Amino acid sequence: MDLSEIVADIAAEMAEAPDRGTPADYIPALAGIDPQRFGIAIVEADGGCHLAGDAEESFSIQSISKVFALTLALGAVGDQLWRRVGREPSGTAFNSIVQLETEHGIPRNPFINAGAIVVADVLLGGYEPREAIGEMLRFVRALAGEDDIVIDAAVAQAEMETGHRNQALAHYMRAFGNLHHPVDRVLGVYFHFCALAMSCRQLALAGRYLMARGINPGTGRSVVSPQRARRINALMMSCGHYDGSGEFAFRVGLPGKSGVGGGILAIVPGRASIAVWSPGLNARGNSQLGTLALERLVQRTGWSVFDPQAG
Ligand code: DON
């Protein structure tokens, strides 16, 4: 199997795709991104790296940061986290508020906005927001083994000014006692996590611990236990694409996490960490061509968590 040829073929097909979705415009700093962009990166368990298209171009990883934030929060407080955040798919939009009322301010899972805001509150702990943000930046740089990963302050600022839904979610949860720090401090942390800017190559490198039983292959050090890596993958599969998670599992069959910047991180346990990026989104806020590209990739490789011997 020639993965370099496969990613080149996929990038060529995506360059011609007529239906590219629509870039998110509710975050002003993201609205102007060219929907023609497409990148794909595969990092294999043995270190092989295959890139095509705009795989070296930085984009806003947005909600993909929720995977790294969850990993840090589990490291900080362990299973106590699950007293404040659920582990069920929501079946509602990423920024929905409806379930919070009947479920007493406990978000369904850590990958919807409400859940990630609680995770940010946990990571704020007794720290200053800039310390929690710096910790995340150090963590992601160490995962990828690259020191030039940055947070795009303009994107974070744009969300601070326009993120009224997130403000509403945060205040609502604070009213239920499920946010321990002031809303503006928690959201400052949350928005800066979302504003991490990474290329597909960097993102695929950062995701390696999830394909490698919790070990960062770049350093040989444990990031999380094998059990925790499995569980994070399980949550990505069940909740990583919001109300599109069932469809993503059906079409792609891999744990995946999307972001409104148009990126998706997908994991083939034991084999590969994959990042795709194309800014146009489908109706559920997930990358239109990113999803199609992953579907093509699994068709060509046979990769699926439901048939681990294939491929
Ligand atoms: O809070 C927000 O709305 C964004 N910073 C992140 C949302 C997101 O990426 C949802 N993904 N599809």
Side-chain angles (χ1 to χ4, degrees), residues 38-41 59 200 203 262-265 274-278 290-291 293-294:
F38 174 83
I40 181 165
F59 62 91
C200 288
L203 188 56
I264 302 175
L265 173 67
I274 307 161
V276 290
W277 170 55
S278 178
T291 310
L294 288 168

Side-chain angles (χ1 to χ4, degrees), residues 26-27 62-63 66 94 113 159 166 190-191 194 242 257-261 284-286:
Y26 77 98
I27 303 172
Q62 290 295 320
S63 285
K66 293 174 167 100
F94 64 89
N113 285 9
E159 279 214 82
N166 286 321
Y190 168 76
F191 289 138
C194 292
Y242 316 107
K257 182 73 206 80
S258 71
V260 285
R284 303 239 160 96
N286 302 311

Side-chain angles (χ1 to χ4, degrees), residues 188-269:
V189 170
Y190 168 76
F191 289 138
H192 280 82
F193 290 174
C194 292
L196 271 160
M198 296 169 76
S199 67
C200 288
R201 188 181 57 77
Q202 290 171 327
L203 188 56
L205 284 169
R208 288 174 297 177
Y209 70 106
L210 293 170
M211 72 151 154
R213 308 186 75 231
I215 308 278
N216 177 352
T219 60
R221 291 212 197 101
S222 169
V223 180
V224 291
S225 68
Q227 182 195 57
R228 191 162 282 168
R230 282 199 300 277
R231 287 178 162 177
I232 294 170
N233 276 311
L235 289 166
M236 289 169 71
M237 177 70 98
S238 55
C239 312
H241 282 69
Y242 316 107
D243 44 344
S245 298
E247 183 70 9
F248 185 83
F250 183 84
R251 288 175 61 189
V252 178
L254 297 173
K257 182 73 206 80
S258 71
V260 285
I264 302 175
L265 173 67
I267 303 299
V268 194

